Amino acid sequence: MENLEEALLGKSTVKRRKATAFIRKNFLIEYSDILLEALRIEEGKSHRDTEEEIVETLGFIGNEDSKVKIKEDYIDKGFFLLTSTKSYIRLNRESLEDVKDVIESLESGDYSKMEGALEVLGYDKMVPSLENQEKIISLCLDFGKDRERGYTDPRYGLAAACAGWTSESVKPFLENSLLSNDTPLAYVAEKSLKKKYVKLR
């Protein structure tokens, strides 16, 4: 895709969104500063799909300024909480074992932040310490139990991450997940019991 900077900083929201998706797909970290400028252009517009797309992409290629922006202007203000939580965790962790922000999000009790944190665990194949594996599972045993009809089970990401986990709570959690009326969760849980990572939705 040509003229990425022009697309990011131009007048067209559609072009900005397409450029952002291209940058994320190709992990073009050299556009982190320009992407942050593009985010400021999109802020507050009535159609916010592009804004959320940029927040998502900054989670993969953003820098310290991006992290501060996402924390102060999105998480703290309650915007795009699932997406902004995922991005902040990715930007703030020190390694794939570092789940301090995951646990903080789970302890917040906010549904969107909790689901976002679990998605990061699964999609990024994070493997915390045995102690933190136990803690995360204990915090999520009943998460999503009372979700509205038609909503997917938010423990999907956790079940996916468990393919690489070894704590004593993993097997009971996954066996319980097999009983969920959410087909994708049951499928992922079945594979994780066999220690197999799967391509996630």
Side-chain angles (χ1 to χ4, degrees):
M1 186 173 183
E2 299 179 1
N3 299 318
L4 283 173
E5 183 172 351
E6 182 179 323
L8 288 173
L9 302 180
K11 294 181 179 180
S12 171
T13 290
V14 173
K15 288 182 179 179
R16 194 163 15 258
R17 185 164 63 250
K18 288 181 177 178
T20 300
F22 182 86
I23 288 167
R24 182 169 73 246
K25 181 180 178 181
N26 293 280
F27 200 68
L28 303 177
I29 60 175
E30 63 268 30
Y31 285 93
S32 60
D33 288 336
I34 298 172
L35 198 59
L36 190 55
E37 288 184 52
L39 179 60
R40 294 188 175 104
I41 292 172
E42 281 296 319
E43 281 183 294
K45 292 190 175 182
S46 55
H47 298 290
R48 307 190 75 174
D49 291 352
T50 301
E51 186 178 357
E52 186 169 11
E53 182 86 14
I54 295 172
V55 170
E56 174 102 28
T57 300
L58 284 171
F60 294 98
I61 69 159
N63 51 29
E64 187 68 23
D65 289 339
S66 304
K67 183 174 75 175
V68 172
K69 175 77 172 171
I70 289 169
K71 178 69 167 63
E72 294 181 352
D73 291 348
Y74 291 89
I75 293 178
D76 290 350
K77 294 181 180 179
F79 293 128
F80 310 138
L81 277 179
L82 189 151
T83 300
S84 57
T85 296
K86 289 191 297 182
S87 291
Y88 184 78
I89 289 171
R90 286 176 168 135
L91 290 171
N92 199 48
R93 68 189 174 196
E94 297 178 3
S95 70
L96 291 178
E97 297 178 5
D98 179 6
V99 291
K100 61 181 182 299
D101 293 310
V102 170
I103 290 173
E104 183 178 329
S105 297
L106 295 176
E107 290 178 336
S108 74
D110 183 282
Y111 194 100
S112 294
K113 291 174 72 173
M114 293 175 71
E115 186 171 13
L118 295 185
E119 283 195 14
V120 174
L121 285 177
Y123 279 87
D124 295 8
K125 300 177 182 176
M126 295 182 72
V127 183
S129 66
L130 290 176
E131 179 183 354
N132 282 329
Q133 290 176 29
E134 293 282 339
K135 185 168 188 175
I136 289 168
I137 290 173
S138 70
L139 287 168
C140 298
L141 287 176
D142 295 322
F143 179 39
K145 182 179 179 180
D146 300 322
R147 66 188 184 279
E148 293 182 25
R149 184 185 180 94
Y151 279 70
T152 58
D153 195 306
R155 298 173 299 170
Y156 176 84
L158 175 56
C162 282
W165 293 14
T166 55
S167 80
E168 292 182 358
S169 295
V170 168
K171 186 177 179 182
F173 166 71
L174 291 174
E175 288 177 340
N176 179 261
S177 297
L178 290 175
L179 304 176
S180 173
N181 60 4
D182 185 81
T183 303
L185 172 63
Y187 171 77
V188 170
E190 180 183 3
K191 296 299 181 182
S192 290
L193 278 167
K194 298 174 182 177
K195 299 300 179 184
K196 293 181 179 179
Y197 286 111
V198 296
K199 183 176 176 62
L200 301 179
R201 62 188 177 213

